[in-house]
Amino acid sequence: MDNTSQESLDPPRYLHPLSLFFEIARMVRGNLIPTIAALVSARSGGWIGLNIGFGIFGIGLAIAIVRYFTFRYQIADGELIIHQGIFDRLHRTVPVSRIQNIDLSQNIFHRLLRVGEVRVETASGKKPEAVMRVVALTEFVRLKDELSGNSQKSAAEQVLAVKDKPETVTTAESAESPRLILELPTRLIALAGLLSNRGEVIAGIAIGLLWQYKVADKWFPSIRFGEVEYGDNRETARAIVADSDSVKGLFQGVRDNYGLLGSMAFLALGLITLFALLRVFSALWYIFKFYGYRLELQDDSLHVKCGLLTQVSATIPRGRVQLISVQRSWLARRCGLASIRIETAGGGDGKSQDAATSVGRKWFVPVIHARDVPRILAAIDQRIEYDDSTILWQPLSRHTAKRMFRPILIASVLLFSLGLFVLPYWGWLSGVIVGVLGWLYVQKKSKSRRYARTEWGAIYRSGTWLQKCSMTFFEKIQSAAFHQSPFDRRWAMATIAFDTASAGPADHRMRIHCLDSEFASSEFERLQREIH
């Protein structure tokens, strides 16, 4: 079929008309603080700020309108073709065969209006090849069907499927029905949030609102410590702060007003309440982000769906996975839980990703029972047999702990010496404490680092508080490096490092320090043969 006939079948298409509405909403959200400042300025008689704000908003609105009317896309001759711009025109062609991910993101307004934001990615770079804000869900189904090379169903059938099953429109129908790999209950998601620390910002906003609307005064109209009664706790706290010109004065003010036991109880209650609020809001953050989490396998691609208000759908071809990292904090290990992150070719650095990309990589599996980790890893790649008891770990050099302890020992000796001559008692005692705790720490840290080579790739584990166990495949390794510094040669050690076509979300480089030099040299030669 020639180019003309192909274009007649799929003419250039514009974005959904609601794109203008969502673009304006995005502008307002991104300029919320300047807008509030302009309104405050106008209220006090400063109309210049408001006029400047309206001018900037008008320019942004004009840009959004131009972007909407100049953005066109079509699929022709096996390529996704994108046109945009008036003065600075951009014409981009993306071969369909190179497209790796077609992700969909929907907030609550997208779902109500049956539209969504679509990202099209290849393995060539950190940024998506196309971002379409916004398209109808039926159009997303058609795009995904065409770009995935699956055209068994007619357009009418796709529209009917969307109407009948709106909650499943993020996965295009194919010859192979999706197979459920993992579904997370809300209780487990909330538990993961309680073990994390993601609620600082939300807790700060909530505490500020409670303070602003005097909720504390309504709940606790008076508090009695001994013979003194204060009717307005908020005013008392302000008076204490105002009368205190130093940290010492602040604590003295609390003690004078509430007594020693009362101030200690108040401080302990405040710390416990703050800690509980942080954990509760962390659990809420997890629920909002990962509610209804489902991991499915279809057409050799993994599909992740989750979200309460903003629902995301991310697609990760299994062949694109470069590195897998199983991560477990100290609290997660106590509760028998873990999380899984992945890095993909061209998956970005993890710093400027949208919701769908972040969920698909950084939060690939946000929480899972440790016993289920081998099953999920096998779903990613059937060659992986993840069993810690059967992995032949190669420990680090036997001199690792001594080398790591050397700088701590120097610091301990200096503190001990200062304690003998400058700070009697506390100085030498702190030197002893630093030395003992430092030795225990380096012992644990050196034992936590392990390396293993398998039939399919390499595994590296490290970390004391946050344990990370990452694995990559021989065919994904772009290069391997052998390094020895002068200090390495002094301790008969060496470093082996692997580079893949990914970076960022796992936050765990495959760089194994402090290996025995003889083992590292022979291992590097074997790896070179495996890679080539």
Side-chain angles (χ1 to χ4, degrees), residues 82-137:
I82 298 172
H83 310 274
Q84 64 183 113
I86 296 180
F87 302 105
D88 186 12
R89 292 185 178 180
L90 172 65
H91 302 276
R92 176 177 297 174
T93 60
V94 184
V96 172
S97 60
R98 295 185 181 180
I99 292 176
Q100 300 283 351
N101 288 4
I102 310 166
D103 298 334
L104 176 70
S105 178
Q106 292 179 285
N107 59 32
I108 187 170
F109 299 105
H110 287 137
R111 297 203 305 276
L112 289 174
L113 299 171
R114 299 181 62 76
V115 294
E117 295 185 5
V118 179
R119 291 168 60 97
V120 179
E121 295 181 345
T122 66
S124 61
K126 296 180 179 180
K127 295 182 179 180
E129 299 294 336
V131 178
M132 302 177 185
R133 303 187 180 100
V134 294
V135 300
L137 294 186

Side-chain angles (χ1 to χ4, degrees), residues 275-395:
F275 178 80
L277 281 174
L278 290 175
R279 296 299 172 176
V280 169
F281 284 119
S282 293
L284 291 176
W285 184 88
Y286 262 70
I287 292 174
F288 276 106
K289 192 174 185 68
F290 304 115
Y291 178 81
Y293 177 95
R294 289 174 63 89
L295 174 63
E296 297 177 343
L297 175 63
Q298 181 183 22
D299 293 336
D300 205 35
S301 292
L302 296 163
H303 302 270
V304 177
K305 305 176 190 176
C306 64
L308 184 59
L309 297 181
T310 298
Q311 291 185 348
V312 299
S313 171
T315 303
I316 307 100
R318 293 196 294 179
R320 190 182 175 186
V321 177
Q322 305 285 308
L323 183 141
I324 308 169
S325 183
V326 180
Q327 304 191 1
R328 306 182 69 192
S329 67
W330 184 84
L331 289 174
R333 294 198 296 273
R334 302 285 79 79
C335 297
L337 301 177
S339 64
I340 302 177
R341 297 186 180 190
I342 62 173
E343 293 183 356
T344 59
D349 57 4
K351 298 179 181 179
S352 58
Q353 298 176 342
D354 71 341
T357 307
S358 175
V359 167
R361 281 73 164 173
K362 184 177 179 180
W363 303 103
F364 176 66
V365 178
V367 61
I368 187 177
H369 290 291
R371 63 178 180 271
D372 293 328
V373 170
R375 180 174 62 84
I376 302 302
L377 296 182
I380 299 174
D381 194 300
Q382 297 179 353
R383 295 172 295 176
I384 301 178
E385 295 182 1
Y386 185 79
D387 187 350
D388 191 77
S389 61
T390 61
I391 297 176
L392 299 178
W393 294 108
Q394 172 63 38

Side-chain angles (χ1 to χ4, degrees), residues 79-301:
E79 293 180 330
L80 172 64
I81 304 173
I82 298 172
H83 310 274
Q84 64 183 113
I86 296 180
F87 302 105
D88 186 12
R89 292 185 178 180
L90 172 65
H91 302 276
R92 176 177 297 174
T93 60
V94 184
V96 172
S97 60
R98 295 185 181 180
I99 292 176
Q100 300 283 351
N101 288 4
I102 310 166
D103 298 334
L104 176 70
S105 178
Q106 292 179 285
N107 59 32
I108 187 170
F109 299 105
H110 287 137
R111 297 203 305 276
L112 289 174
L113 299 171
R114 299 181 62 76
V115 294
E117 295 185 5
V118 179
R119 291 168 60 97
V120 179
E121 295 181 345
T122 66
S124 61
K126 296 180 179 180
K127 295 182 179 180
E129 299 294 336
V131 178
M132 302 177 185
R133 303 187 180 100
V134 294
V135 300
L137 294 186
T138 52
E139 176 64 9
F140 168 71
V141 172
R142 188 194 72 85
L143 270 174
K144 191 164 187 178
D145 192 58
E146 292 289 336
L147 297 179
S148 300
N150 174 34
S151 57
Q152 282 122 1
K153 299 191 75 173
S154 65
E157 290 175 322
Q158 294 171 1
V159 174
L160 183 60
V162 170
K163 291 182 178 179
D164 293 340
K165 298 185 295 180
E167 70 279 3
T168 61
V169 297
T170 53
T171 300
E173 296 291 344
S174 68
E176 179 187 349
S177 59
R179 178 166 64 91
L180 180 63
I181 303 298
L182 178 66
E183 188 172 20
L184 296 180
T186 306
R187 178 183 57 81
L188 185 60
I189 296 173
L191 177 59
L194 291 174
L195 299 180
S196 69
N197 199 19
R198 290 274 167 179
E200 297 92 338
V201 176
I202 303 177
I205 295 174
I207 293 173
L209 290 174
L210 293 177
W211 186 271
Q212 181 68 27
Y213 290 100
K214 303 182 180 181
V215 174
D217 297 339
K218 298 176 182 177
W219 290 351
F220 306 104
S222 64
I223 296 179
R224 183 183 297 273
F225 290 106
E227 300 298 326
V228 182
E229 181 175 323
Y230 297 92
D232 191 339
N233 301 296
R234 202 155 58 92
E235 293 300 327
T236 301
R238 287 178 177 174
I240 292 173
V241 175
D243 295 338
S244 304
D245 57 358
S246 64
V247 176
K248 182 178 180 180
L250 175 62
F251 284 104
Q252 186 65 40
V254 173
R255 182 174 179 179
D256 293 342
N257 281 275
Y258 296 114
L260 179 60
L261 293 178
S263 60
M264 292 177 62
F266 220 54
L267 178 62
L269 180 62
L271 292 175
I272 293 173
T273 303
L274 179 60
F275 178 80
L277 281 174
L278 290 175
R279 296 299 172 176
V280 169
F281 284 119
S282 293
L284 291 176
W285 184 88
Y286 262 70
I287 292 174
F288 276 106
K289 192 174 185 68
F290 304 115
Y291 178 81
Y293 177 95
R294 289 174 63 89
L295 174 63
E296 297 177 343
L297 175 63
Q298 181 183 22
D299 293 336
D300 205 35
S301 292

